[in-house]
Amino acid sequence: MLGIGHHTKIGLHLEKTPLALKLGAFVALSRTEMSVLDALHKRRRTFIAGCDLVRQGQSNQSAYILMSGWACSYKLLQDGQRQIVDFQIPGDFLGLRSVLLHMSDHSIEPITDIEVTEVTVTDLLEAFSQTPRLATAVFWAASRDEAMVVEHLIDIGRRNAAERMAHFLLELGARLALVGLGSKAGFACPLSQYLLADALGLSAVHVNRVLRTLREAGMATFRDGLVTFDSYRRLTEFADFDPTYLDQIGPILR
Amino acid sequence: MLGIGHHTKIGLHLEKTPLALKLGAFVALSRTEMSVLDALHKRRRTFIAGCDLVRQGQSNQSAYILMSGWACSYKLLQDGQRQIVDFQIPGDFLGLRSVLLHMSDHSIEPITDIEVTEVTVTDLLEAFSQTPRLATAVFWAASRDEAMVVEHLIDIGRRNAAERMAHFLLELGARLALVGLGSKAGFACPLSQYLLADALGLSAVHVNRVLRTLREAGMATFRDGLVTFDSYRRLTEFADFDPTYLDQIGPILR
DNA sequence: CGGAGGGTTGATTCCCCTCAAAATCAGTGG
DNA sequence: CCACTGATTTTGAGGGGAATCAACCCTCCG
């Protein structure tokens, strides 16, 4: 497994939120920084699956930190099709850009029931001014998310359906591993084949066929909400997956 | 000082660099802010077409502000295919994220000969601390660029070839209009059909066919490096193009 | 028990890729 | 002035990957 273990000492009596786990992979956080981060998690709220958190065109939203459950951000086209831009997993921000732009260019929907903590811009900026290194870490995480969208673009633009699916599952697995929710063996995944289709620019029917192909090739199995990497090595080769930027062993910045 | 290089014509006023024009659409910049911005444009350099500025996997690069010419950022796949993630036009940053992440996850290539000014992280951060509103504006522009990549994702994921091309041309036109290089009538465009293909996830052959379709439908013509919107209205309808976030008349923040 | 949501599979269609070959054009050197 | 080269655009023919349409299955749940 990945060496996230050795940071656990730092936050001895602070709760390890998913966000703290994730940021800890980028920047070695001090006790103070941990507690500032922890103080952000005040206003806890829950949303139920399927009911939009943020709607395209809305303005003046709050931002949220996802504590548990999955969400997705998507855009609708006039003809009713939709494209899922990204999935959010625990430790991810929801609507951070929307807040800063005072306008949301996409909608966000909880896929499962989710727990979040609400964060206002002022809270966030104050936290940043207290601990600049925290700001760096958050910025870093945001950049990584952007890199993920770019990789997603390449998935859709230049990979065929099977490679696309393989790459997508690997990336998701790596992200989940970072917050302790997955490994090279696999991960729990609440996504329906319809959601996968909307994310990968495929039809749901074809998603099904592609999953069968991967299963029969002995590379990956997706059944009963569980993704299993039957052969992690062959899957990465097949998908041309480059895990370097996700394979952080320890923090980049000390 | 401010009187660098070729600020001659306008006399008392500072020259409007493409970046200043663009940021001016977001934030009404004061004289001071303008001059701080102008002071960033010190180290002027040129690069010739086709010779990579930044290479995938390289670390610790400089960032650049594009003054004239076009560039593109792209990623290569193992099988030799490439996907162009975004085109950069005057006023855009090159490699901003790469610098902050100390690692480039993509390459950048000048499409034409380009003029840039080199900017170090420290220069930039210092400028930001002097004029926070400038930081806001740059952040805003960066967010808009990200929104553009997302729109690009939707292009590729959910629009057919013709809609994709139409949407792409409209977006490019709107961006260029922001820095005074285009209008609803059209714009000058140095892109080859091969480049369009790599950007839109199509084959060059099909790009050609699609362009013909748009031309014969009387919506847009691309010939001799010139894009002409034959019917801007019908084109926007056809492409399901939403120009709100690009249709800024004046600055959002005063 | 009936209905809804999700998964699985088959048949058919079509959008776009691939291969191939001209046509056009800019530059280059004889 | 012309032959030669390479890059780019254009057009045609054929094939394949994914969409669409249409069943049928399952499980869950009121």
Side-chain angles (χ1 to χ4, degrees):
Chain A
M1 261 296 291
L2 302 177
I4 307 176
H6 63 79
H7 308 306
T8 43
K9 309 292 168 54
I10 303 173
L12 211 46
H13 43 274
L14 292 171
E15 191 192 356
K16 270 289 187 183
T17 63
L19 180 58
L21 276 173
K22 187 168 84 162
L23 296 184
F26 292 117
V27 174
L29 296 171
S30 73
R31 230 187 159 68
T32 327
E33 285 154 356
M34 291 290 283
S35 66
V36 168
L37 187 57
D38 214 66
L40 275 180
H41 294 75
K42 268 184 218 147
R43 265 182 304 287
R44 204 167 269 249
R45 304 183 53 178
T46 63
F47 292 91
I48 60 167
C51 178
D52 280 4
L53 240 98
V54 175
R55 211 163 306 226
Q56 200 164 334
Q58 249 177 351
S59 62
N60 211 14
Q61 284 298 314
S62 294
Y64 304 94
I65 302 168
L66 188 50
M67 302 300 290
S68 72
W70 291 43
C72 69
S73 43
Y74 66 92
K75 288 185 102 164
L76 288 176
L77 275 70
Q78 294 223 328
D79 60 6
Q81 289 191 104
R82 81 165 173 177
Q83 175 69 47
I84 292 177
V85 175
D86 201 6
F87 292 106
Q88 280 81 41
I89 58 173
D92 287 347
F93 278 95
L94 303 181
L96 185 55
R97 203 183 40 180
S98 307
V99 164
L100 294 160
L101 285 179
H102 296 282
M103 168 57 120
S104 179
D105 61 341
H106 59 264
S107 305
I108 300 184
E109 174 191 317
I111 291 168
T112 65
D113 293 352
I114 59 173
E115 287 182 296
V116 300
T117 58
E118 194 172 348
V119 182
T120 65
V121 189
T122 41
D123 285 355
L124 200 61
L125 293 181
E126 196 187 344
F128 284 175
S129 66
Q130 280 177 50
T131 54
R133 279 160 56 85
L134 195 59
T136 307
V138 168
F139 182 81
W140 225 324
S143 298
R144 199 211 49 161
D145 290 350
E146 201 185 326
M148 210 95 64
V149 173
V150 168
E151 202 58 46
H152 192 176
L153 183 85
I154 287 154
D155 264 356
I156 295 180
R158 287 294 174 201
R159 286 189 245 264
N160 65 33
E163 292 167 355
R164 202 181 300 183
M165 176 68 74
H167 195 274
F168 173 79
L169 292 179
L170 284 166
E171 189 161 83
L172 206 47
R175 283 173 68 184
L176 287 161
L178 211 57
V179 289
L181 294 174
S183 71
K184 286 190 166 122
F187 56 90
C189 180
L191 304 178
S192 71
Q193 295 184 353
Y194 286 90
L195 287 169
L196 285 174
D198 281 343
L200 298 177
L202 299 171
S203 69
V205 172
H206 201 59
V207 163
N208 185 285
R209 289 189 228 274
V210 165
L211 286 175
R212 174 152 67 122
T213 308
L214 291 181
R215 188 183 337 122
E216 288 174 352
M219 294 200 278
T221 308
F222 186 1
R223 194 157 35 203
D224 303 325
L226 214 62
V227 173
T228 312
F229 295 133
D230 299 319
S231 170
Y232 191 84
R233 188 187 55 74
R234 281 203 293 130
L235 195 63
T236 52
E237 271 172 28
F238 175 69
D240 185 19
F241 179 64
D242 174 18
T244 44
Y245 70 107
L246 292 166
D247 244 1
Q248 289 311 136
I249 307 298
I252 300 166
L253 207 67
R254 298 200 165 270
Chain B
M1 250 298 285
L2 317 172
I4 325 155
H6 63 294
H7 308 111
T8 43
K9 313 283 171 59
I10 315 187
L12 296 179
H13 292 89
L14 294 168
E15 195 199 352
K16 283 279 192 184
T17 63
L19 180 58
L21 277 172
K22 188 168 83 164
L23 296 185
F26 293 118
V27 175
L29 296 173
S30 73
R31 225 187 161 66
T32 328
E33 285 153 354
M34 291 289 283
S35 67
V36 169
L37 186 58
D38 213 67
L40 274 181
H41 294 74
K42 265 183 222 151
R43 263 181 306 284
R44 205 166 266 248
R45 304 185 52 179
T46 62
F47 292 92
I48 59 167
C51 179
D52 280 6
L53 241 96
V54 176
R55 211 162 307 224
Q56 202 164 335
Q58 249 178 349
S59 62
N60 211 15
Q61 284 300 312
S62 294
Y64 303 94
I65 302 169
L66 188 49
M67 302 300 290
S68 71
W70 291 43
C72 69
S73 44
Y74 67 92
K75 289 185 102 163
L76 288 175
L77 275 71
Q78 295 224 324
D79 58 8
Q81 288 192 103
R82 81 165 175 179
Q83 174 70 47
I84 291 177
V85 175
D86 201 7
F87 292 106
Q88 280 80 42
I89 59 173
D92 288 346
F93 278 94
L94 302 181
L96 187 54
R97 203 181 39 173
S98 307
V99 164
L100 294 159
L101 286 178
H102 295 285
M103 166 60 118
S104 179
D105 62 341
H106 59 263
S107 305
I108 299 184
E109 175 190 316
I111 290 168
T112 65
D113 292 353
I114 59 173
E115 286 181 297
V116 301
T117 58
E118 194 172 349
V119 182
T120 65
V121 190
T122 40
D123 285 354
L124 200 60
L125 293 181
E126 195 187 344
F128 285 175
S129 66
Q130 281 176 50
T131 53
R133 279 161 55 85
L134 196 59
T136 307
V138 168
F139 182 81
W140 225 325
S143 298
R144 198 211 51 161
D145 290 350
E146 201 184 326
M148 209 95 63
V149 173
V150 168
E151 202 59 47
H152 193 176
L153 182 85
I154 287 153
D155 265 356
I156 295 179
R158 286 293 175 204
R159 286 188 246 264
N160 66 33
E163 291 166 356
R164 201 181 301 181
M165 176 68 74
H167 194 275
F168 173 78
L169 292 179
L170 285 166
E171 190 160 84
L172 206 46
R175 284 172 68 183
L176 286 161
L178 209 57
V179 289
L181 294 175
S183 72
K184 287 193 165 113
F187 56 90
C189 179
L191 304 178
S192 72
Q193 296 183 355
Y194 286 92
L195 287 169
L196 286 174
D198 281 344
L200 298 177
L202 298 171
S203 69
V205 172
H206 202 59
V207 163
N208 185 283
R209 288 188 229 275
V210 165
L211 286 174
R212 174 153 66 126
T213 309
L214 291 181
R215 190 185 334 125
E216 288 173 353
M219 294 199 279
T221 308
F222 186 1
R223 194 156 34 202
D224 301 326
L226 214 63
V227 173
T228 312
F229 296 134
D230 299 320
S231 170
Y232 191 83
R233 189 187 56 72
R234 283 201 292 130
L235 196 62
T236 52
E237 271 173 28
F238 176 69
D240 184 21
F241 179 65
D242 173 17
T244 45
Y245 71 108
L246 291 166
D247 244 1
Q248 288 312 133
I249 307 298
I252 300 167
L253 206 68
R254 297 203 164 271

